[in-house]
Amino acid sequence: MKNFIFISPNFPENYWRFCRHLRDNGFNVLGIGDCEYYNLLPQLKQSLTEYYKVSNLSNYEEVFRAVAFFTFRYGKIDWLESNNEYWLERDAHLRTEFNINTGFRDGDMKKVKLKSEMKRYYNMAGIKTARYCLVTSEEECKRFIAEVGYPVIVKPDNGVGASDTHRLCSDGDLEHFFNTKLPVSYIMEEYIDATVNSYDAIVNSRGEPIFETGNVTLGSLMDVVNTGDSSMFYIVNRPFDDVRDAGRRALKAFGVKSRFVHFEFFRLNRDQHIGKKGEVVALEVNMRPSGGISPDMMNYANSTDVYKIWADMVAFDGSQKGTGERFYCAFVGRRDGKPYVHGDDEIYGRYAENLKICQRVPHALSGAMGDRMFVANFKTKEGVDEFYKFATQCF
């Protein structure tokens, strides 16, 4: 029997489904987390062979001891994974130290975590990237801005989502940034007027996608995080051909194997220095599933089970689980205290036949996803547009 260590199997909460299908495929599923065992979901407890509770997942020595314990107790560890961006580097280091060869290791981290390094591999795939400079000094940034003009975007070179991302529109903004920035490495990029389109895939050991989908994000995730806007995105009913082509080329350039991935691209809203309106250019890669409730939304949009497809990839390097009737699956994250025209009860009443999920967003995800989520299926894009208008209209 093969051994799979799942780091933080309880967060996001829906990740118990990965563990359940691994168990059903014959794995010992060994969980490591900082949640008390009695607080785990019953479905997760039933899916785990054993759980090792640490006081803090950020304490590497504790997690190392947990992996060592499972190795002593069960023998060679065949897989170790969290499917979580936050622990991506930690996962790689543990694989390196315990000689686990079924995932990224230390030497792979630069190209999949540093935004500046990602550009080189996107360029290898023939996909355009925004002009940039590393933030070394205010003078260097001014030289870059003289070339590309304001506004510019500044974000951590090694960052998660839109956290600590800033739009600078003037010399005053630049000066303020340098007076307040955190002691981390930042990258500065030209501003791209575009809509984010994603390529999401489950990839086998030969780098071939066995499942593909994608999403479209409305508005700016940076504004959602920084100004508390409502969050809106939807899973497309079928992947766009140009996004799928770019995604597949990126898979080859980055050497992706045996993973669930979420690659982000810009679709240009107008002609710009980087390309023509409608063209797809690179944003960044994420070597894990799209966050939060997105895997469930992929299931609703494709009438399938991506948790099983992923677990089948791990166990069998492929899956017989296909897709069924296709929909657009729309997400709205509403903010507490925002003066919406229509209350939650009105959404329940108007969209009762469409709604799939209505619940609070976990606090750790609320910055990017709002406080209360509504997920609904629609046959047409027009249905999605009307839903967004109704759910986000404010006084």
Side-chain angles (χ1 to χ4, degrees), residues 14 215 231-236 291-302 307 327-334 344 347-348 350-362 369-379 383-384 387-388 391-392:
N14 47 319
N215 71 43
S231 177
M232 294 180 286
F233 70 93
Y234 62 91
I235 307 295
V236 297
I293 206 71
S294 293
D296 290 340
M297 293 175 61
M298 295 175 193
N299 288 346
Y300 296 134
N302 293 278
Y307 301 101
F327 301 88
Y328 295 90
C329 187
F331 174 97
V332 169
R334 307 219 310 176
D344 291 358
I347 297 177
Y348 300 145
R350 187 181 182 95
Y351 293 102
E353 294 184 359
N354 306 88
L355 287 169
K356 299 294 183 180
I357 301 174
C358 311
Q359 64 187 46
R360 298 288 298 179
V361 176
M369 300 185 71
D371 300 301
R372 305 179 321 283
M373 72 171 77
F374 298 84
V375 174
N377 262 14
F378 297 92
K379 280 286 193 179
V384 173
F387 173 62
Y388 284 145
T392 64

Side-chain angles (χ1 to χ4, degrees), residues 149-219:
Y150 283 114
V152 292
I153 303 299
V154 182
K155 51 192 173 185
D157 196 19
N158 184 352
V160 179
S163 177
D164 196 22
T165 299
H166 310 274
R167 182 190 288 115
L168 308 183
C169 299
S170 67
D171 287 347
D173 289 347
L174 181 66
E175 182 178 354
H176 176 75
F177 169 75
F178 270 93
N179 288 335
T180 58
K181 71 182 182 73
L182 298 173
V184 298
S185 296
Y186 287 87
I187 183 174
M188 176 177 286
E189 295 180 321
E190 64 179 317
Y191 174 74
I192 305 295
D193 182 4
T195 300
V196 175
N197 286 222
S198 80
Y199 171 79
D200 298 84
I202 299 172
V203 185
N204 66 17
S205 66
R206 298 178 297 281
E208 303 163 344
I210 62 173
F211 171 80
E212 296 172 298
T213 187
N215 71 43
V216 175
T217 299
L218 278 68

Side-chain angles (χ1 to χ4, degrees), residues 284-295:
E284 63 183 54
V285 297
N286 298 280
M287 298 298 178
R288 43 75 181 170
S290 183
I293 206 71
S294 293

Side-chain angles (χ1 to χ4, degrees), residues 129-148:
T129 62
R131 291 173 290 178
Y132 79 101
C133 75
L134 293 175
V135 176
T136 56
S137 69
E138 191 168 351
E139 292 71 26
E140 178 64 27
C141 289
K142 285 182 176 179
R143 283 192 288 269
F144 174 72
I145 293 167
E147 175 188 354
V148 303

